[in-house]
């Protein structure tokens, strides 16, 4: 584990790739597991092509999406949320959710998981975490 009293730089290339498990349809999703750095949060950095998004899933912790560029349509427990660059979407713990890039350019966002390990359970019972 890294020394928590020192600043750390984690190059994008060193983040764990998760896109095939998360989207199954392309994109680039990279994960920083907070536990490896003595942190209470984990972070996913994503670049999602138009029409692509993750399978429906849930987490035992909150997830905060910071939308940098593009447009996203979220479905959270049956409620639709439209978001665009500059917006933040908060998904509560245990809420079934998904999203799709609803625009015609790459969707760039950062997802902050309120847990040192981003525990994800997909509808089919498979997990990431």
């Amino acid at each position: 584990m890294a020394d928590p009293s020192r600043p750390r730089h984690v190059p994008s290339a060193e983040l764990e790739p998760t896109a095939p498990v998360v989207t199954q349809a392309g994109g680039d999703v990279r994960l920083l597991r907070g536990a490896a750095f003595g942190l209470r949060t984990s972070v996913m950095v994503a670049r999602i092509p138009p029409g692509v998004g993750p399978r429906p899933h849930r987490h035992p912790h909150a997830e905060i999406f910071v939308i940098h560029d593009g447009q996203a349509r979220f479905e959270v427990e049956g409620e639709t949320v439209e978001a665009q660059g500059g917006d933040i979407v908060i998904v509560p713990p245990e809420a079934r959710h998904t999203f799709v890039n609803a625009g015609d350019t790459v969707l760039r966002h950062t997802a902050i998981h309120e847990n040192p390990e981003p525990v994800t359970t997909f509808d089919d019972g498979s997990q990431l975490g």
Side-chain angles (χ1 to χ4, degrees):
M1 182 184 321
D3 178 355
S5 68
R6 309 252 331 139
R8 286 148 291 170
H9 170 237
V10 183
S12 176
E14 293 180 18
L15 298 175
E16 177 183 337
T18 64
V21 175
V22 174
T23 68
Q24 294 187 325
D28 183 31
V29 182
R30 298 190 172 268
L31 168 64
L32 178 125
R33 292 181 186 271
F37 295 89
L39 301 173
R40 293 185 297 217
T41 56
S42 293
V43 179
M44 287 184 164
V45 179
R47 294 175 44 83
I48 308 293
V52 173
R55 299 176 285 152
H57 61 280
R58 60 183 76 237
H59 314 283
H61 52 270
E63 183 174 17
I64 303 162
F65 290 89
V66 179
I67 311 299
H68 303 290
D69 296 303
Q71 297 175 314
R73 180 176 304 112
F74 287 81
E75 292 291 330
V76 182
E77 289 293 335
E79 184 176 337
T80 301
V81 176
E82 301 284 343
Q84 62 186 357
D87 292 351
I88 294 175
V89 176
I90 301 169
V91 177
E94 297 299 343
R96 181 180 184 269
H97 63 284
T98 188
F99 67 86
V100 65
N101 177 344
D104 55 6
T105 61
V106 171
L107 170 65
R108 288 187 338 100
H109 72 75
T110 300
I112 303 161
H113 290 253
E114 200 174 44
N115 199 341
E117 290 288 341
V119 179
T120 303
T121 302
F122 296 98
D123 281 1
D124 65 4
S126 63
Q127 292 192 327
L128 171 69

